[in-house]
Amino acid sequence: MKKYDIIIVGAGPSGMMAAIRAGQLKKEVLLIEKNNKLGQKLLISGKGRCNITNIQEPDKFIYNFSSTGLFLRSAFAKLFNTELIKFFEAKGLQVKIERGGRVFPSDDRANSVLKVLKLYLQENKVKIIYNNPVVDIKVGKNSEFSVELKNREIVKSKSLILATGGLSYPLTGSTGEGFGFAKNLGHKIVDLSAGLVPLEVKERWAKELQGLSLKNIRIKFICGKKTITSEIGEMLFTHFGVSGPLILELSSNVVDWLKAAKDPIKLIIDLKPGLDEKQLDRRLIRDFGNQGSKIYKNVLAEILPGKLIDVFVEISGISQNKKANQITQEERRKIVRLLKDFSLTITKPRPIEEAIVTRGGVLTKEIDPRTMQSRLLKGLYFCGEIIDVDAVSGGYNLQAAFSTGFLAGESAGKED
Ligand SMILES: Cc1cc2nc3c(=O)[nH]c(=O)nc-3n(C[C@H](O)[C@H](O)[C@H](O)COP(=O)(O)OP(=O)(O)OC[C@H]3O[C@@H](n4cnc5c(N)ncnc54)[C@H](O)[C@@H]3O)c2cc1C
């Protein structure tokens, strides 16, 4: 039975980074991955382009996380965005900065990010077992970890790092076994739910809009007296409801509301955020005046995407064949309101498997933020999405995975 200094379960970004750092500290490290490849989720991140981090300053950076974000302070102090970028650049990866400070590899390929991680793993002599999930973890009397693999092999170590990720996109390997291991080892798991997740809607007509991407719009969710409003951006209609950047961005709040809501949750789309109601009314007066002999529906084609027109006309309740110059002032106002307040009702989130991140996880209070070591069991460490921290999109989640991975690897690597 082989013994290692450190065993790391899960070869996502956090587990790979932990292994690299512990390897740099000359420890004998075993990285165990259930898939036959490393970093499956990393490869699909950022639509295959991998948004590795964000250039925002530390103080602002942390506010992109949910309420447990402050837990990450020490991890960010060890390895933050500039250090992460240097880490990749040192092995030849060039990066570029895009909208909202998002950092991507210059060649838009997540695989280039993974290649660098593989180089570091090799350079630091990390041993990797592929295709062999960990099925059980026990702690012996001498505080040694005994890790059982699916093929019944048992490996042992003084320190153990759990880096098994969350519950979303299970085909990438993140199926949540790590939460079971953590629980068996005495840790509390904060309820798991979907973060950055598409949402289902009640209106049947939404299905007709499947595939329609709305650009340069603003959205707002309303639940009783609570409101959250997005920036101007993009959203998408799907066969079940709504998705796309703006929806995902605000979805975590909506998921919380859905858990407790008595009031219906409304999604309000402002289809013309650049114009206020008065300006929009003047625009319609002009358009309807200039093209008075055209039918109303055809004039709308100038201000709305084609796929939306039939649904819009139906909701407006105005006959589609009505000539533009016959539209009354009251009807025009109705159109203006509909353009500013195009509304749908949210019924539920899509399942957690379709979420970009998992909310909840190992309770942060039971982990020492300065080391990522369990406060309950010496030698046990956590990093990445298994911990109860999550952020909006923009590169924050991967930075958290890399930073906590680095800190866990360093802390375990410095233990005698
Ligand atoms: C579609 C999508 C796009 C995303 N895009 C971005 C983005 O652009 N930027 C960003 O910041 N974040 C993005 N994220 C989030 C980000 O990918 C995750 O937060 C990050 O991958 C978490 O890293 P991790 O190492 O904690 O876990 P994971 O990447 O989930 O890795 C966990 C690993 O553990 C392995 N494992 C699990 N159980 C076992 C076991 N029992 N035995 C052995 N191995 C096991 C899994 O196979 C997996 O390889 C995206 C997520 C998704 C789903």
Side-chain angles (χ1 to χ4, degrees):
M1 187 186 313
K2 175 87 179 129
K3 280 191 190 167
Y4 294 85
D5 294 323
I6 303 169
I7 292 179
I8 298 164
V9 188
S14 69
M16 286 188 275
M17 185 58 102
I20 291 165
R21 185 63 190 140
Q24 285 172 338
L25 297 170
K26 307 289 175 225
K27 294 289 169 181
E28 205 181 348
V29 182
L30 174 67
L31 178 61
I32 306 173
E33 169 55 48
K34 68 149 73 139
N35 292 323
N36 57 7
K37 291 185 196 118
L38 305 174
Q40 289 284 76
K41 190 174 275 179
L42 185 81
L43 284 177
I44 60 161
S45 68
K47 296 197 174 125
R49 297 171 61 224
C50 191
N51 176 196
I52 51 171
T53 185
N54 194 291
I55 52 153
Q56 239 177 23
E57 301 154 28
D59 284 349
K60 288 189 184 149
F61 200 99
I62 255 169
Y63 287 104
N64 292 287
F65 286 81
S66 49
S67 59
T68 49
L70 288 177
F71 171 82
L72 296 167
R73 266 214 177 123
S74 304
F76 287 159
K78 269 278 165 216
L79 180 105
F80 196 47
N81 48 15
T82 42
E83 289 88 1
L84 185 67
I85 292 169
K86 277 188 200 145
F87 168 91
F88 283 109
E89 283 178 342
K91 290 273 181 270
L93 183 87
Q94 308 223 325
V95 300
K96 59 180 172 182
I97 299 163
E98 293 194 358
R99 180 181 55 87
R102 294 166 155 85
V103 180
F104 289 90
S106 296
D107 64 1
D108 290 324
R109 300 186 64 224
N111 197 32
S112 306
V113 175
L114 184 60
K115 265 190 186 161
V116 171
L117 293 165
K118 284 180 179 167
L119 276 177
Y120 276 111
L121 287 168
Q122 223 172 8
E123 188 178 286
N124 291 292
K125 302 188 175 44
V126 173
K127 171 150 193 234
I128 305 175
I129 293 184
Y130 293 93
N131 230 348
N132 208 347
V134 168
V135 292
D136 195 21
I137 298 170
K138 290 198 172 71
V139 195
K141 283 197 189 108
N142 50 359
S143 306
E144 205 174 50
F145 291 93
S146 176
V147 177
E148 185 181 343
L149 304 176
K150 196 174 175 202
N151 68 353
R152 304 255 163 239
E153 190 185 338
I154 295 198
V155 279
K156 295 200 168 194
S157 63
K158 268 199 305 200
S159 303
L160 180 85
I161 303 180
L162 282 180
T164 46
L167 261 185
S168 71
Y169 280 64
L171 286 179
T172 62
S174 320
T175 45
E177 292 103 281
F179 299 118
F181 301 144
K183 218 170 159 183
N184 289 343
L185 295 169
H187 277 271
K188 185 170 169 4
I189 309 299
V190 176
D191 284 351
L192 304 171
S193 65
L196 303 178
V197 68
L199 300 168
E200 297 192 13
V201 301
K202 186 166 115 191
E203 289 74 12
R204 286 173 178 232
W205 49 257
K207 213 169 179 179
E208 291 169 40
L209 302 180
Q210 178 176 349
L212 170 66
S213 166
L214 294 176
K215 298 198 171 71
N216 298 318
I217 51 132
R218 177 180 279 130
I219 63 166
K220 192 161 68 178
F221 286 102
I222 299 181
C223 176
K225 287 182 182 153
K226 290 178 287 196
T227 303
I228 35 171
T229 307
S230 74
E231 304 286 317
I232 291 180
E234 198 176 330
M235 66 162 276
L236 177 74
F237 282 94
T238 65
H239 65 283
F240 53 76
V242 288
S243 185
L246 291 184
I247 300 289
L248 295 179
E249 201 71 40
L250 300 187
S251 62
S252 297
N253 271 293
V254 177
V255 171
D256 286 345
W257 291 355
L258 281 163
K259 282 183 204 155
K262 291 191 191 80
D263 300 300
I265 298 176
K266 287 281 175 194
L267 162 64
I268 313 283
I269 307 170
D270 182 348
L271 293 159
K272 296 286 162 197
L275 302 174
D276 64 24
E277 291 207 6
K278 271 194 188 147
Q279 291 168 321
L280 201 49
D281 195 39
R282 280 202 292 274
R283 160 101 196 253
L284 289 185
I285 292 173
R286 201 183 65 216
D287 286 359
F288 289 164
N290 288 346
Q291 306 173 68
S293 58
K294 274 195 186 173
I295 58 170
Y296 147 66
K297 176 180 163 174
N298 289 349
V299 181
L300 283 182
E302 308 220 336
I303 51 173
L304 285 176
K307 201 160 182 171
L308 185 58
I309 291 175
D310 283 342
V311 167
F312 188 95
V313 168
E314 201 182 318
I315 299 173
S316 76
I318 304 165
S319 161
Q320 59 167 304
N321 293 321
K322 197 161 190 178
K323 292 262 166 54
N325 57 14
Q326 287 167 357
I327 297 282
T328 64
Q329 187 184 38
E330 198 185 322
E331 285 171 332
R332 207 181 58 239
R333 295 235 162 98
K334 208 169 173 186
I335 298 168
V336 168
R337 267 198 306 277
L338 200 53
L339 286 167
K340 295 298 282 180
D341 284 345
F342 191 80
S343 156
L344 293 108
T345 317
I346 304 298
T347 52
K348 57 178 173 175
R350 291 298 281 173
I352 193 165
E353 290 79 8
E354 292 177 33
I356 302 289
V357 285
T358 301
R359 302 177 78 208
V362 179
L363 182 67
T364 50
K365 278 189 194 144
E366 295 179 351
I367 306 172
D368 183 344
R370 295 161 304 176
T371 56
M372 294 295 133
Q373 184 165 202
S374 161
R375 290 191 196 272
L376 312 180
L377 183 61
K378 193 171 173 330
L380 175 65
Y381 297 80
F382 298 95
C383 57
E385 208 175 311
I386 190 173
I387 304 173
D388 175 27
V389 278
D390 64 280
V392 298
S393 66
Y396 306 102
N397 287 297
L398 278 176
Q399 177 70 52
F402 286 124
S403 298
T404 53
F406 187 88
L407 182 54
E410 177 159 301
S411 312
K414 285 187 173 166
E415 283 285 313
D416 286 329

